[in-house]
Amino acid sequence: MTDRQSELSIGYGRPHQEGAVLDLFTHWVHRTPDAPALVDGERSWTYAELDRLAAESAESLKGRVARGDLVGVCLDHSAALVAATLAVARLGAVHLPLGPRPGERRLQAVAEQLRPACLIGDPALLPPAHRAGEQLPLALPVEGANAAATVVAAFAAETGGGEAAVRAPAGTHYAVLTSGSTGTPKAVAVGESALGALLQWYRQLTGLGPGDRHSLLIGVAFDPHLMELWATLTSGAALSVAPDAVRWDRSALTDWWREAGITVAVLPTPLAEPVLDRPWPTGLALRHLCIGGDRLRRAPGPDVTATVHNAYGPAEATVVTSVHTMSPGGGHGADAPPIGLPIPGAVVLVADPDGRPVPRGQAGELRVGGRGLAIGYLDAELTARRFVEAPAGIEGADRVYRTGDRVLMRPDGVLEFLGRLDDQVKVSGVRIEPAEVEAAFERDPWVRRAVVAARPGPAGGVQLTAFVQPAPSGEAPAGEAPTAAELLDAVRPWLPEQAVPTAVRLVEAFPLDANGKVDRPALLAAAEPVHPTAPEEDASPAERVVLRICRELLGRPDLALADNFLDAGGTSIVAARLLAALEEECGVRLRAPQLLRQPDLRALGRLVEERLPSAVG
């Protein structure tokens, strides 16, 4: 780097090391065939057993799935998921992780847009064209808390359209979906060399190796789970499948870390912050905790015995671009931790609107390039817009990805995250394109137009509100118009959980700003404030506590005891906060399944009352 460049907001990671992916797993199969590779509750599979399962599945698909074909995997954390992932890699096909329940309509839209060679999953959850087509049973394990009872490779029935399947660029290892403004998600193609370099860095960062237990917890539709999976299986360590309850309950999470002997873990930021808010549990084997997905608002305290890494990176740059490491013992200050320095092989620059690097200390858009850059989207036009030519003089990057994130580079080269430049928002650690949510509403013939706006949630984070303009009487279908609640129910199958708005408001028209665009801040400001509704006179003290906490967490002062937590906008992250608040205020520790089984808040209040150690005031 020249003296002039050192004054500009340009940063280079250390020289990277190449890293294999499937070959390294095979290395450990031969070196430690009987070592545990995957642990799911009481059941475990060795490296040799996983290799055999993957080989059998690959053999079944041979001749039907070719190198470069997209294979959608619709499985939850399980041995079946891991074996299917390995099988796709053995075939040289492209792994497209979709998760076990991506939403029926959303999955169907993705299948129609990308036309993968096949979908692997529970046949009952697949789109109609795949349920009606050929289904090839796969000999994958059905053991495990999240395992599907039946797993097939489903090939879509012929529709007569004759469209060819979308093929990924040469060298693609996996493709992952991100939110898209057209109403359907964008698919990012990531090369095997970029993934291998990421895994090599992560193994060195954490010292991951034989004898370690790494959590498998991140949602399957999100790319960090691939770092969890492949880093573990290429290091000789064992993957440990997280029970569902740990995604809702911080106490259950840390108890599981202790019981399962977890030594290295990855957490999404919204789940990590409640863990860091409490005294650090004793007796943990955890050495390294990697956090990412959203802005981390607090540093670990002096009692935290693990090294904590605050990681940043879009899917378009292979999971992680920069990291800030905080050693045990505290002393990291009270401010939000920075997102750190570029990892080996990464190139970062902070640019002005014309793409030129700004001086250090000045805010601008973060653009990333280097070894970890994705190949692009499975859409050449979109790739050309977001992956642009690097400015002259940038070493090791002929192109960079425009992240849309506003950052600042300090004089020491450390990056600080400031927020988003565009309309994208992060909800519970997941990037959401409001236009995708709007498109989901506008599929309904009763809706003329929808606008989605974000506001800070009362319990932190971001909440989405949808403003819906009904179709005029001459254009609307016959019959009774749907209510706001019915419109919300209709979009759920099209969207991931985090993208479902917490509220829907019906409006006659949209206010415009000086540029003729919809004025979202004005929409939010004009939304009539809802005054708290008093609880029913016969409500018990416990029911009043439950109602008050839920109103605060959901930002819904109109909630009543007859309302259902999930229907009112409750997500897994909000549920985790609800469980923590009930434990702190009432001394009652509930598990996530107990919360989800309650038909309404009154029933939840009764459950709390039954378990109270003393009366609630």
Side-chain angles (χ1 to χ4, degrees):
M1 184 185 297
T2 66
D3 291 341
R4 169 62 178 157
Q5 284 183 319
S6 68
E7 299 173 359
L8 297 175
S9 296
I10 305 171
Y12 297 94
R14 300 190 311 274
H16 80 283
Q17 294 183 346
E18 294 288 349
V21 183
L22 185 62
D23 288 348
L24 267 182
F25 167 73
T26 304
H27 163 80
W28 289 105
V29 170
H30 294 310
R31 182 175 174 182
T32 59
D34 298 324
L38 179 73
V39 180
D40 188 350
E42 300 299 319
R43 183 70 167 88
S44 66
W45 289 262
T46 66
Y47 271 83
E49 288 173 327
L50 275 187
D51 185 59
R52 176 181 55 79
L53 289 168
E56 291 175 354
S57 295
E59 185 63 29
S60 297
L61 295 169
K62 197 172 181 180
R64 302 296 305 273
V65 174
R67 180 173 295 275
D69 283 348
L70 288 174
V71 176
V73 179
C74 308
L75 296 170
D76 207 343
H77 300 107
S78 61
L81 168 71
V82 177
T85 301
L86 292 167
V88 173
R90 289 176 75 111
L91 291 166
V94 177
H95 179 202
L96 177 65
L98 298 171
R101 291 171 292 277
E104 180 182 353
R105 296 297 186 90
R106 187 172 194 257
L107 179 57
Q108 182 175 342
V110 169
E112 292 172 354
Q113 177 193 18
L114 299 179
R115 300 181 295 282
C118 70
L119 296 178
I120 296 177
D122 183 340
L125 301 178
L126 299 180
H130 289 78
R131 291 200 297 269
E134 180 186 355
Q135 295 183 0
L136 179 65
L138 297 179
L140 293 173
V142 297
E143 299 96 336
N146 303 314
T150 305
V151 179
V152 302
F155 300 84
E158 292 293 336
T159 60
E163 301 96 340
V166 173
R167 292 184 61 80
T172 302
H173 186 275
Y174 71 85
V176 65
L177 302 180
T178 66
S179 189
S181 59
T182 60
T184 53
K186 302 172 291 189
V188 182
V190 175
E192 182 173 4
S193 59
L195 177 61
L198 171 83
L199 302 179
Q200 178 72 10
W201 160 77
Y202 185 68
R203 290 190 298 264
Q204 291 182 347
L205 178 78
T206 60
L208 191 62
D212 277 318
R213 293 286 181 95
H214 195 300
S215 60
L216 183 60
L217 179 147
I218 300 296
V220 176
F222 306 116
D223 54 328
H225 99 274
L226 294 168
M227 185 174 78
E228 293 179 309
L229 189 154
W230 281 112
T232 305
L233 296 183
T234 56
S235 68
L239 276 169
S240 192
V241 176
D244 272 344
V246 308
R247 300 183 187 89
W248 302 70
D249 186 337
R250 61 187 177 185
S251 296
L253 171 64
T254 54
D255 287 347
W256 174 70
W257 277 348
R258 184 184 298 107
E259 294 159 6
I262 302 299
T263 55
V264 183
V266 178
L267 282 184
T269 309
L271 184 54
E273 287 185 325
V275 172
L276 295 178
D277 284 339
R278 299 188 70 183
W280 192 250
T282 60
L284 296 184
L286 192 70
R287 301 193 323 270
H288 290 272
L289 174 61
C290 192
I291 299 172
D294 209 338
R295 185 179 185 183
L296 183 63
R297 291 168 175 80
R298 59 153 299 161
D303 59 338
V304 176
T305 55
T307 299
V308 177
H309 309 279
N310 185 34
Y312 164 87
E316 290 84 352
T318 317
V319 187
V320 178
T321 297
S322 65
V323 68
H324 178 69
T325 296
M326 293 165 280
S327 57
H332 306 296
D335 296 333
I339 57 175
L341 296 167
I343 69 171
V347 178
V348 299
L349 64 99
V350 185
D352 64 17
D354 294 323
R356 297 185 298 260
V358 300
R360 296 197 177 191
Q362 181 176 321
E365 181 189 25
L366 178 60
R367 302 189 177 196
V368 300
R371 198 70 184 89
L373 200 63
I375 296 173
Y377 298 107
L378 300 184
D379 180 324
E381 183 180 343
L382 183 59
T383 299
R385 290 203 305 267
R386 298 304 297 269
F387 292 80
V388 299
E389 184 179 353
I394 301 295
E395 302 169 9
D398 55 358
R399 62 189 188 123
V400 291
Y401 168 68
R402 300 184 59 183
T403 67
D405 288 327
R406 185 168 176 267
V407 301
L408 176 148
M409 182 178 285
R410 302 187 324 206
D412 59 1
V414 171
L415 293 169
E416 293 187 357
F417 181 82
L418 303 178
R420 290 290 301 172
L421 288 170
D422 55 19
D423 289 337
Q424 275 192 347
V425 295
K426 277 202 171 181
V427 182
S428 298
V430 178
R431 278 193 297 165
I432 301 298
E433 189 85 56
E436 180 179 0
V437 186
E438 293 163 0
F441 279 97
E442 290 167 1
R443 295 178 191 273
D444 194 313
W446 284 99
V447 175
R448 182 173 192 177
R449 187 178 181 188
V451 171
V452 172
R455 71 168 78 204
V462 171
Q463 290 184 339
L464 300 179
T465 300
F467 297 88
V468 174
Q469 183 183 30
S473 57
E475 300 176 12
E480 188 175 350
T483 65
E486 289 168 339
L487 288 172
L488 191 59
D489 286 340
V491 301
R492 291 182 191 276
W494 290 100
L495 300 170
E497 176 194 28
Q498 296 84 353
V500 177
T502 57
V504 174
R505 300 292 179 93
L506 300 178
V507 298
E508 294 183 1
F510 296 107
L512 303 179
D513 62 17
N515 296 320
K517 296 182 178 180
V518 173
D519 192 334
R520 285 177 168 83
L523 269 177
L524 291 170
E528 291 184 11
V530 180
H531 299 289
T533 304
E536 288 82 345
E537 293 183 1
D538 60 346
S540 69
E543 290 168 348
R544 291 173 182 269
V545 170
V546 167
L547 187 59
R548 173 176 55 78
I549 294 174
C550 289
R551 286 175 173 175
E552 292 172 356
L553 291 177
L554 294 170
R556 292 282 306 277
D558 58 325
L559 273 185
L561 290 172
D563 289 323
N564 175 274
F565 173 76
L566 292 178
D567 292 343
T571 65
S572 56
I573 298 298
V574 179
R577 292 173 174 151
L578 172 57
L579 293 172
L582 290 174
E583 183 177 358
E584 289 174 359
E585 290 207 25
C586 304
V588 172
R589 183 175 175 186
L590 300 177
R591 297 292 192 184
Q594 295 170 311
L595 166 62
L596 299 180
R597 284 196 295 265
Q598 307 311 313
D600 51 39
L601 299 185
R602 185 182 295 279
L604 178 59
R606 286 197 296 266
L607 180 61
V608 171
E609 194 160 23
E610 291 169 3
R611 294 167 178 254
L612 279 176
S614 58
V616 177

